[in-house]
Amino acid sequence: MSVGRDALIEPRNDWTRAEAQTLYDLPFADLIFQAQSIHRRNFDPNHVETASLLSIKTGGCPEDCGYCSQSAKYDTGLKATKLMDHDDVVATAKRAKEAGAERFCMAAAWRNPKDRDLDKVCDMVSAVKDLGMETCVTLGMLTDKQAKRLHDAGLDFYNHNVDSSPEFYDKIITTRTMQDRIDTLAHAREAGLKVCCGGIIGMGEQVDDRLGMLALLANLPEHPESVPINMWNEVKGVPVNDTAERPDPIALVRMIAVARIMMPRSVVRLSAGRQYMTDELQALCFVAGANSIFIGDVLLTTKNPQTERDANLLDRLGIKSKLDDGKHDGHTHAGEKPAAATVSVSGAAAS
């Protein structure tokens, strides 16, 4: 399947599963060539966006998401916390900016925020925005009025993942429907927010489910501006342990390439699970069209590659990022270690 010239320019919203499968099944070199061609048409192929993720409220979530360490339904050994103090959140955002993060994402393990909690989150958003960073939050389901309040506070992005295909979704979650998630995305859009929406692979789903998830995202009225692709991290005590299987590396690269082709103007982020990836696998993903990563030693409740490793890898690949600023001067080469600029991040599953 060859993507026509129009697909290099204008996004489509009428993808079929069969088309996604045909792309996925292309000879590897042909698939990567198409994905890289589209990537170059829409982005600087030698730039990667850097973001930082902080759990501002960890654990105790009433949802039963079968992959999540923060669900109150499972004994994962995670201690629930209250909402973080405003000043501590802002101080963490400052450190993230100094470490090279362009965007600061705040996550709270709620089914949906109470208005009194939203007041505090809105104040955090405004303060982080004043630092000159892009802002993103994930707080669970939103009403239209709550989405508008976040927009008015200066929020740029709302993260709300669909997690998997519609067919696999019911196997991992029963307390929130896929339609609930689509409704929250619509509320965010209607309020003028940009959308960060992706999913998780490696939970026991099949390739068809992964492509079904991409088709769902690509056929939304507007493509998400950011599409995070998470590899499931091992979590003690959750049901997904019984079905999880880490994706074949080449299968992951193929999925990234198909995401780039189907959503040509979306930023595709390598999110959770990068600690399982070799430098060579990450490099292939960047060639296939991934152009964003989270930096910091921890993503919510799971590990993440250290910032100095990321700076070293991107420099070896000749890829520019905000890690080149400040403590990371862009002159680190293979065998050298850049100055550490680690962001301490802990807690909560992005909803």
Side-chain angles (χ1 to χ4, degrees):
M1 177 182 180
S2 178
V3 175
R5 183 175 177 80
D6 288 346
L8 299 178
I9 303 170
E10 293 299 329
R12 287 176 48 190
N13 304 86
D14 59 352
W15 288 94
T16 66
R17 291 274 190 103
E19 287 178 306
Q21 187 70 58
T22 299
L23 287 171
Y24 186 89
D25 291 339
L26 285 172
F28 190 74
D30 294 346
L31 175 61
I32 298 303
F33 178 78
Q34 290 197 36
Q36 178 64 200
S37 297
I38 289 175
H39 189 55
R40 287 174 175 271
R41 184 84 184 201
N42 293 281
F43 294 97
D44 178 350
N46 298 308
H47 178 267
V48 164
E49 174 192 276
T50 49
S52 180
L53 178 61
L54 173 69
S55 175
I56 59 174
K57 192 276 175 190
T58 303
C61 181
E63 305 276 18
D64 69 351
C65 304
Y67 53 80
C68 186
S69 64
Q70 303 195 72
S71 171
K73 306 286 186 183
Y74 315 120
D75 182 12
T76 65
L78 184 70
K79 183 179 178 180
T81 67
K82 296 180 179 179
L83 185 65
M84 280 182 66
D85 178 76
H86 174 277
D87 291 346
D88 290 340
V89 172
V90 177
T92 304
K94 288 180 180 178
R95 292 196 297 273
K97 183 178 181 181
E98 290 169 359
E102 302 172 56
R103 184 182 305 171
F104 191 68
C105 307
M106 294 162 274
W110 291 320
R111 174 177 169 81
N112 50 276
K114 295 180 174 66
D115 286 340
R116 67 175 180 273
D117 292 322
L118 197 65
D119 292 340
K120 297 176 182 178
V121 174
C122 285
D123 288 342
M124 295 174 187
V125 167
S126 296
V128 173
K129 187 74 171 177
D130 287 344
L131 297 177
M133 302 183 78
E134 287 187 325
T135 55
C136 178
V137 299
T138 178
L139 312 173
M141 294 184 290
L142 293 181
T143 65
D144 52 353
K145 292 181 180 178
Q146 289 176 325
K148 184 65 165 60
R149 287 186 59 198
L150 288 165
H151 174 269
D152 292 346
L155 186 68
D156 296 302
F157 290 84
Y158 194 75
N159 166 256
H160 202 61
N161 292 334
V162 296
D163 286 346
S164 191
S165 69
E167 294 81 6
F168 191 74
Y169 181 90
D170 292 343
K171 294 180 175 64
I172 54 172
I173 303 167
T174 68
T175 52
R176 189 191 318 186
T177 68
M178 179 68 83
Q179 189 57 51
D180 288 333
R181 293 178 182 267
I182 299 300
D183 290 346
T184 288
L185 293 173
H187 293 324
R189 281 288 187 209
E190 290 162 3
L193 295 170
K194 297 175 184 176
V195 166
C196 175
C197 185
I200 309 168
I201 62 174
M203 298 184 289
E205 78 289 338
Q206 302 302 306
V207 168
D208 183 63
D209 292 305
R210 298 171 193 170
L211 298 178
M213 180 183 74
L214 294 182
L216 173 63
L217 296 173
N219 290 339
L220 291 171
E222 294 180 70
H223 292 174
E225 281 81 3
S226 292
V227 178
I229 303 297
N230 300 275
M231 276 204 296
W232 185 69
N233 286 276
E234 296 177 8
V235 176
K236 182 185 74 172
V238 298
V240 163
N241 275 309
D242 297 333
T243 59
E245 183 177 358
R246 194 167 301 161
D248 168 72
I250 299 302
L252 173 61
V253 179
R254 284 184 176 276
M255 184 181 175
I256 295 295
V258 173
R260 168 53 62 222
I261 293 169
M262 294 174 70
M263 292 172 281
R265 295 180 183 171
S266 299
V267 170
V268 178
R269 179 181 297 129
L270 296 181
S271 295
R274 283 200 303 120
Q275 79 274 17
Y276 301 131
M277 299 172 63
T278 65
D279 287 356
E280 292 81 4
L281 175 54
Q282 291 189 69
L284 272 176
C285 287
F286 294 139
V287 172
N291 58 341
S292 179
I293 58 172
F294 278 120
I295 62 171
D297 291 348
V298 181
L299 281 185
L300 299 179
T301 61
T302 58
K303 293 181 180 180
N304 195 50
Q306 292 185 348
T307 304
E308 66 177 64
R309 175 189 167 189
D310 289 332
N312 183 284
L313 172 61
L314 296 181
D315 187 70
R316 285 155 56 205
L317 296 174
I319 293 177
K320 301 181 293 294
S321 75
K322 284 291 185 179
L323 293 177
D324 294 337
D325 300 340
K327 295 180 182 179
H328 302 290
D329 63 7
H331 297 294
T332 305
H333 299 283
E336 299 178 1
K337 289 187 177 181
T342 300
V343 185
S344 177
V345 185
S346 62
S351 300

